[in-house]
């Protein structure tokens, strides 16, 4: 079965996986770290290919996603060949490099370390060239992950998401960050293993200073990526856009020059906003809106239902409830 995750070429065994919003953390065993510490690349660039290959042996390389795959990966692999013998500074000299899927490289006799990288996956292998041509098949032990975020029945655009991928440890689901800016709806190549996904919905509405602000709508998931397979994870956000207004009577005109604070029922501040009717995205739940206008403070409680965008009116009554400004 032909497979190529990064370029979507060939054929993959697709496995659909609906991921719950929150799942228990799991221990992991990650394979394919690259390059290993003992193979520190030399800062020198790779030498150009020799003008003549007379007297040199050749090393032919192919990669597969899993050890039992029959068909090689057809694109997306970067090969680097290092001398096994370390230089005085501890680095290893880079003698050849190729982005061909199946390169054939002329090499003099000697011991080498071959490193193949594929997205975030990487594998090293020791090769000895001794007067003969060698063909080496390298399993990458890699799979693919595609993250799809939904709000109700609508797919969330990638630019409205901040997605991080972690390798968890027992008792710590976010032990090691491996990708801080994963893009939704794209295939990410990863070493086989367990991962913890954190997806945060970004706010691009009026009142979201700076353009993109993280909201309190955060969805997490734990999953495993098998070698040679593509996992599609669907993460469902539950949020809505709320527009705040300070009015003298229900349905009245919004008062300008008003400062709003949105708090949880426990008093934690979610966002501070300024304007006649600023908007913000909030996760499903209950909140308190506090409005300050001309030295007076008013408040109202409200509830957010997923996908139900709504206005939140705070009534500015002289006899209305006044609270001390939040410190």
């Amino acid at each position: 079965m032909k497979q190529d995750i990064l370029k979507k070429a060939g054929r993959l065994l697709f496995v659909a996986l609906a991921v719950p919003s929150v799942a228990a953390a799991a221990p992991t065993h990650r394979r394919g770290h690259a390059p290993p510490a003992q193979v520190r690349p030399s800062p020198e660039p790779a030498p150009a290919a020799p003008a003549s290959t007379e007297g040199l042996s050749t090393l032919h390389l192919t990669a597969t996603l899993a050890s039992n795959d029959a068909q090689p990966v057809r694109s997306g692999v970067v090969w680097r060949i290092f001398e096994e013998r370390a230089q005085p500074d501890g680095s290893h000299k880079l003698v050849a490099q190729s982005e061909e899927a199946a390169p054939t490289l002329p090499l003099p006799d000697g011991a080498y370390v071959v490193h193949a990288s594929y997205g975030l996956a990487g594998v090293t292998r020791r090769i000895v060239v001794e007067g003969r041509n060698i063909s080496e098949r390298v399993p990458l032990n890699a799979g693919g992950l595609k993250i799809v975020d939904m709000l109700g029945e609508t797919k969330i655009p990638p630019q409205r998401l901040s997605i991080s991928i972690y390798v968890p440890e027992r008792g710590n689901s976010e032990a090691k960050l491996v990708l801080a800016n994963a893009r939704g709806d794209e295939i990410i190549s990863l070493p086989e293993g367990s991962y913890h996904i954190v997806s945060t919905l970004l706010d691009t509405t009026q009142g979201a200073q700076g353009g993109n602000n993280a909201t309190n709508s955060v969805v997490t998931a734990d999953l495993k990526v098998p070698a040679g397979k593509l996992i599609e994870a669907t993460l469902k956000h539950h949020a809505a856009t709320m527009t705040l207004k300070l009015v003298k009577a229900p349905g009245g005109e919004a008062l300008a020059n008003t400062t709003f604070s949105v708090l949880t029922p426990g008093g934690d501040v979610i966002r501070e906003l300024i304007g006649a009717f600023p908007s913000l995205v909030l996760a499903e739940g209950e909140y308190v809106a506090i409005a300050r206008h001309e030295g007076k403070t008013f408040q109202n409680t409200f509830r957010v239902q997923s996908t139900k965008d709504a206005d939140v009116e705070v009534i500015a009554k002289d006899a209305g409830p006044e609270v001390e400004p939040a410190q």
Side-chain angles (χ1 to χ4, degrees):
M1 179 170 54
K2 297 182 179 179
Q3 303 177 351
D4 186 347
I5 290 180
L6 288 181
K7 301 297 183 180
K8 302 181 182 179
R11 299 171 57 190
L12 271 171
L13 176 59
F14 286 87
V15 179
L17 176 63
V19 182
S21 295
V22 180
T28 184
H29 173 65
R30 187 182 179 196
R31 302 169 61 182
H33 290 291
Q38 66 269 26
V39 186
R40 182 160 61 89
S42 168
E44 298 179 4
S52 173
T53 60
E54 184 178 353
L56 300 179
S57 300
T58 60
L59 173 61
H60 180 69
L61 297 168
T62 57
T64 59
L65 292 176
S67 57
N68 59 351
D69 285 349
Q71 294 296 326
V73 175
R74 299 191 301 180
S75 62
V77 183
V78 177
W79 300 93
R80 294 179 178 88
I81 315 298
F82 300 90
E83 287 185 350
E84 184 184 46
R85 178 172 53 87
Q87 299 186 100
D89 64 355
S91 66
H92 292 254
K93 183 179 180 181
L94 178 65
V95 297
Q97 180 172 327
S98 176
E99 295 185 8
E100 295 180 15
T104 298
L105 305 169
L107 294 171
D109 288 356
Y112 300 92
V113 175
V114 177
H115 176 252
S117 62
Y118 186 65
L120 295 180
V123 175
T124 58
R125 177 165 297 190
R126 181 177 183 268
I127 301 293
V128 177
V129 177
E130 293 180 319
R132 61 186 180 87
N133 299 331
I134 298 175
S135 293
E136 193 70 21
R137 178 174 173 267
V138 180
L140 295 166
N141 300 316
L145 173 62
K146 182 178 181 181
I147 302 171
V148 178
D149 285 78
M150 304 290 292
L151 181 59
E153 300 301 318
T154 303
K155 186 181 294 186
I156 302 173
Q159 62 270 22
R160 288 204 58 196
L161 295 165
S162 174
I163 303 174
S164 299
I165 301 177
Y166 298 84
V167 171
E169 292 178 355
R170 191 179 301 275
N172 183 3
S173 61
E174 299 179 8
K176 181 178 180 181
L177 177 67
V178 295
L179 186 59
N181 56 345
R183 192 167 176 84
D185 212 27
E186 290 186 358
I187 297 174
I188 305 165
S189 178
L190 294 166
E192 65 172 339
S194 299
Y195 294 93
H196 178 72
I197 314 299
V198 179
S199 174
T200 302
L201 184 62
L202 300 178
D203 193 348
T204 59
T205 63
Q206 175 190 357
Q209 293 91 352
N212 286 332
N213 284 336
T215 72
N216 65 334
S217 181
V218 180
V219 181
T220 64
D222 290 275
L223 48 82
K224 290 186 177 181
V225 175
K229 296 182 180 179
L230 174 68
I231 297 299
E232 183 172 302
T234 300
L235 281 65
K236 294 185 177 181
H237 284 263
H238 299 274
T241 299
M242 311 305 288
T243 300
L244 305 176
K245 298 179 181 180
L246 178 64
V247 295
K248 293 182 178 180
E253 184 178 352
L255 300 179
N257 301 318
T258 302
T259 300
F260 292 93
S261 298
V262 178
L263 294 77
T264 66
D268 297 327
V269 177
I270 301 295
R271 187 74 59 81
E272 301 276 355
L273 307 103
I274 300 174
F277 36 85
S279 297
L280 76 164
V281 175
L282 291 169
E284 196 171 56
E286 294 185 353
Y287 299 91
V288 177
I290 296 176
R292 301 178 184 85
H293 181 76
E294 295 182 350
K296 295 183 179 181
T297 305
F298 310 92
Q299 75 174 42
N300 186 21
T301 60
F302 65 99
R303 182 171 183 81
V304 176
Q305 293 182 288
S306 182
T307 71
K308 305 295 185 182
D309 298 347
D311 293 343
V312 176
E313 291 186 341
V314 180
I315 308 302
K317 292 182 179 179
D318 291 339
E322 291 200 21
V323 297
E324 292 294 329
Q327 299 297 322

